[in-house]
Amino acid sequence: MDRTLGWILLLCVLWLWLGWGGNWWDSHENKEKRDAFERDWWKSFRRLTFEHNSTFSLLPDSVQGSVGTLLGNDGKNFGSSGGEFMKDVTGTYHGEWVADHSTQTTPFWNGTLPSGYSRPEDGSAGRLKMVLNSEPTNHKLAELLRGTVSLQSATGFSALLDVEGLYWRDSGVAVLHGAPEVSAQSAVDVVGAAPTEKLFAHAKAALSEAYTKLLPQRKRAEDVGRDCEYHVYVQFIQGRKALVARSVMFAPACSVSVATPAGRTIVGLHAKTYLLMVVRYAAVAALGMVALLLLLERQMRHTPTPASLARVSYHALSMQAIVDSHIFVLHAIACVAVGSLAFLVAGAVAFVMFSALLVLVMRYVSAVWRSQQPSAVDPDDCRRCLIRMYVIAYVALVVGVVATYAYLDAQRPLPAAALATLVAVAHGYWVPQIWRNVKRNTSCGLRWDYVVGTTAVRLFFPLYAFAYAGNIAFVSPAPLVWALVAFSVAQTAVLMMQDLLGPRFFVPEFLRPLAHDYHPAVSLPSEEEDLERNSQSSDMAAVCAVCIQPVDSALEGNHLTPSHMLTPCAHMYHTECLQRWMDIKLECPVCRARLPPP
């Protein structure tokens, strides 16, 4: 026994050594490799010279000319004190770009695009979004500039670049390096991209100070993903209060330049201004969520009985829940992506409000679904169906979160027609309700303020994104959004007219589905048949099973009187009695058969 215990202790010690000890050894070994890498990096960085390490002079002549024109005086004033430019360029910019393929052979380009790399097509154009954040350095004229650049085109090309470099306050020029992920090589590329020897020395001095803190955070170049990497030159325009700039980007390994079109500029907003816009938008969106909650609560009180719930389509409510959930998903991803405290607080508030709305909607959906099931259904089966419905709803929400995040992260937009189709289908949430009204020949049971109000609130988001040019996402206006508005308004108008003109007012007679007539024509029995039926059973006398009173004088000619109703299962009741019964249950009081609404 003691020997067994000893072996167990030995195995435990061995396991601890292999686990913690091995990790410690690996960590120690990795630290030594990292220290060696940083020593080699500093050694090579200090040896950089303009004569031997400038990459700007190796760029195609057309690119050097574009950069010289952008910087002014062929770049000779670059880095010289020549006026007052914006001291703070931190902000969010948006504009347009045009791509041009260079056919000139350079040391970086042998005429073949590297495997796995992607570049925009020659002559293609698209939208640019640039988010920049400036940080002070010890250099009196330079600021460290970091951020992201997003390129998207209608042809399907997209790229998301991390950028890092320097901004020179005296000339309003920024030299950046853009790559799928910033690495330790970025500083070397920024220094090499300087177009003059003077700026080469200044950039080297400024980044040497900045990288004493940044280098431990940077990966090696071989440890990051590879794709087209760009030299980015940005000229901020002098004497403007707003953030206005022009840019030229060139990818040496891909031989493609991406520049601001002639006569166009990149327009930006200061970080504080942009944050104020976001706060205003968040406040309006929050009011919209509150309005949805209040309207839904009033609608739920408007349909308290099974008969009133039976007029509501749970497919329509489910589609609305899906639309609301994906609107929230887009906002939540935006909050996480931006990451500032204000965005995260707004996201937390939105999450609480959306959770309350989703819980309320799911309660209403389950109540509508339950009211439309026959009482003969096993309660356990009913509970299982409800659980399945909740699971499907929340799984769909999770899948929507993952799919939306992957779609946005991949920066691969769908074609405009496909995206418009998806949005239109999602906003067709009143179509199931219209069809239910036609099929059952009843009014929808929805309050007009609920229909109009929820439609207006849900249209606010696509209208803001695709009709308002000053939206916080910098999405270009799309006239197609007004077709979506017309589609939603048409659905709302049809629902309201169904209440006024009848559920089937727009359906031709030959296309209308048959509805049950509770006052049908009745074939009267012959005198012999009547005597035979009465002699066989006295129980066959017509008695209203609700009030337990005889149904007398039920016929006018061969039709039932308005005061009597005949169910599809051939049971007769007083009209007043059966209508009161159907306000509670849509089942026959005698045989429990399902009854269509009157």
Side-chain angles (χ1 to χ4, degrees):
M1 184 68 179
D2 293 338
R3 183 177 297 179
T4 302
L5 182 60
W7 278 108
I8 293 175
L9 290 175
L10 180 61
L11 290 174
C12 290
V13 171
L14 182 62
W15 179 77
L16 291 174
W17 183 82
L18 289 175
W20 294 349
N23 290 338
W24 174 86
W25 180 264
D26 291 342
S27 176
H28 180 70
E29 186 179 11
N30 289 337
K31 186 177 187 305
E32 289 183 347
K33 290 182 178 179
R34 181 68 190 187
D35 291 341
F37 163 73
E38 292 186 11
R39 284 194 301 269
D40 293 341
W41 187 92
W42 279 114
K43 187 182 297 183
S44 61
F45 187 79
R46 293 188 181 101
R47 292 176 179 174
L48 293 176
T49 62
F50 184 74
E51 292 78 10
H52 299 95
N53 302 105
S54 173
T55 56
F56 180 80
S57 59
L58 301 176
L59 299 181
D61 296 337
S62 59
V63 177
Q64 294 188 45
S66 299
V67 174
T69 303
L70 176 73
L71 305 183
N73 195 19
D74 292 333
K76 295 178 181 178
N77 294 333
F78 184 53
S80 61
S81 182
E84 288 295 329
F85 287 85
M86 289 176 287
K87 296 180 179 180
D88 182 15
V89 294
T90 298
T92 304
Y93 302 75
H94 63 99
E96 299 176 357
W97 56 265
V98 176
D100 177 44
H101 290 186
S102 173
T103 57
Q104 180 176 341
T105 302
T106 69
F108 314 100
W109 173 254
N110 60 6
T112 304
L113 190 68
S115 176
Y117 285 40
S118 62
R119 64 177 182 175
E121 297 178 2
D122 191 19
S124 61
R127 297 285 299 174
L128 174 146
K129 181 180 179 182
M130 184 165 56
V131 181
L132 298 177
N133 182 47
S134 61
E135 303 172 16
T137 66
N138 288 342
H139 196 285
K140 63 179 181 179
L141 296 178
E143 290 186 357
L144 183 66
L145 208 57
R146 292 191 286 179
T148 60
V149 172
S150 171
L151 303 175
Q152 292 186 352
S153 73
T155 58
F157 170 80
S158 62
L160 181 62
L161 307 173
D162 288 340
V163 294
E164 182 176 84
L166 294 170
Y167 169 63
W168 305 94
R169 294 188 298 271
D170 62 334
S171 57
V173 171
V175 179
L176 310 168
H177 175 256
E181 185 178 357
V182 172
S183 67
Q185 182 65 25
S186 297
V188 178
D189 290 332
V190 170
V191 173
T196 66
E197 185 173 1
K198 180 180 179 181
L199 257 295
F200 187 99
H202 284 317
K204 181 179 175 181
L207 288 175
S208 179
E209 180 273 329
Y211 260 63
T212 56
K213 297 180 180 179
L214 292 177
L215 184 58
Q217 307 170 16
R218 294 288 183 261
K219 296 180 180 179
R220 299 180 303 174
E222 54 267 27
D223 294 336
V224 299
R226 307 299 292 174
D227 204 338
C228 294
E229 299 184 7
Y230 292 80
H231 293 328
V232 183
Y233 301 91
V234 184
Q235 171 69 68
F236 296 90
I237 299 176
Q238 184 180 7
R240 299 285 190 95
K241 293 183 178 180
L243 297 176
V244 181
R246 290 188 291 266
S247 72
V248 173
M249 302 169 56
F250 182 73
C254 300
S255 190
V256 59
S257 65
V258 176
T260 305
R264 302 290 182 88
T265 58
I266 302 171
V267 181
L269 296 171
H270 282 291
K272 293 182 179 179
T273 304
Y274 185 66
L275 182 60
L276 182 60
M277 287 178 56
V278 172
V279 169
R280 289 174 178 171
Y281 170 79
V284 174
L287 289 176
M289 297 291 285
V290 171
L292 285 178
L293 283 169
L294 294 177
L295 290 168
L296 182 59
E297 191 273 335
R298 293 186 66 179
Q299 172 60 31
M300 292 175 70
R301 287 192 284 109
H302 181 67
T303 53
T305 64
S308 58
L309 288 171
R311 299 184 178 188
V312 180
S313 170
Y314 67 84
H315 291 102
L317 295 176
S318 300
M319 290 182 66
Q320 293 174 35
I322 293 173
V323 171
D324 295 339
S325 63
H326 284 82
I327 289 175
F328 165 75
V329 165
L330 289 172
H331 287 74
I333 291 176
C335 291
V336 173
V338 174
S340 68
L341 180 61
F343 272 82
L344 295 178
V345 171
V349 174
F351 176 76
V352 172
M353 296 180 62
F354 166 75
S355 299
L357 178 62
L358 187 61
V359 168
L360 204 61
V361 168
M362 292 306 297
R363 282 182 55 191
Y364 195 35
V365 170
S366 61
V368 170
W369 181 86
R370 194 182 295 111
S371 72
Q372 298 174 12
Q373 304 304 309
S375 61
V377 174
D378 186 3
D380 291 336
D381 291 341
C382 188
R383 278 192 294 272
R384 281 192 290 269
C385 289
L386 285 175
I387 292 173
R388 191 182 305 117
M389 184 169 59
Y390 272 87
V391 169
I392 291 174
Y394 289 109
V395 167
L397 176 59
V398 173
V399 170
V401 171
V402 174
T404 304
Y405 184 80
Y407 167 74
L408 296 176
D409 184 61
Q411 294 286 311
R412 302 288 182 186
L414 287 173
L419 186 60
T421 302
L422 287 176
V423 174
V425 170
H427 281 76
Y429 42 76
W430 292 129
V431 172
Q433 183 64 62
I434 294 172
W435 169 245
R436 186 171 184 82
N437 296 345
V438 171
K439 182 179 178 181
R440 298 167 63 89
N441 198 27
T442 59
S443 61
C444 62
L446 301 176
R447 293 175 59 91
W448 283 18
D449 57 350
Y450 173 75
V451 174
V452 175
T454 56
T455 303
V457 171
R458 292 187 178 99
L459 278 177
F460 164 76
F461 299 101
L463 279 175
Y464 179 83
F466 298 107
Y468 176 50
N471 62 81
I472 60 175
F474 301 114
V475 177
S476 299
L480 198 61
V481 71
W482 296 108
L484 177 66
V485 173
F487 178 52
S488 298
V489 171
Q491 294 177 73
T492 304
V494 170
L495 280 175
M496 298 174 71
M497 287 189 290
Q498 282 183 314
D499 278 352
L500 296 174
L501 305 178
R504 301 177 177 178
F505 76 94
F506 62 93
V507 182
E509 188 71 33
F510 66 92
L511 292 178
R512 295 181 181 181
L514 297 177
H516 180 71
D517 183 8
Y518 280 91
H519 305 280
V522 179
S523 59
L524 296 177
S526 63
E527 200 172 311
E528 293 80 4
E529 292 173 342
D530 191 37
L531 290 173
E532 182 180 357
R533 184 182 61 185
N534 290 335
S535 63
Q536 289 177 352
S537 175
S538 61
D539 294 335
M540 295 299 293
V543 175
C544 176
V546 178
C547 62
I548 319 299
Q549 297 295 323
V551 181
D552 297 327
S553 304
L555 296 178
E556 288 183 355
N558 65 338
H559 282 78
L560 290 180
T561 62
S563 60
H564 298 83
M565 299 176 73
L566 185 65
T567 65
C569 50
H571 294 107
M572 190 176 298
Y573 304 92
H574 296 112
T575 298
E576 183 180 356
C577 296
L578 187 58
Q579 286 180 340
R580 286 203 311 268
W581 176 270
M582 286 194 293
D583 284 338
I584 302 172
K585 286 186 177 182
L586 288 174
E587 297 177 348
C588 176
V590 174
C591 66
R592 302 301 179 186
R594 190 76 178 158
L595 296 180

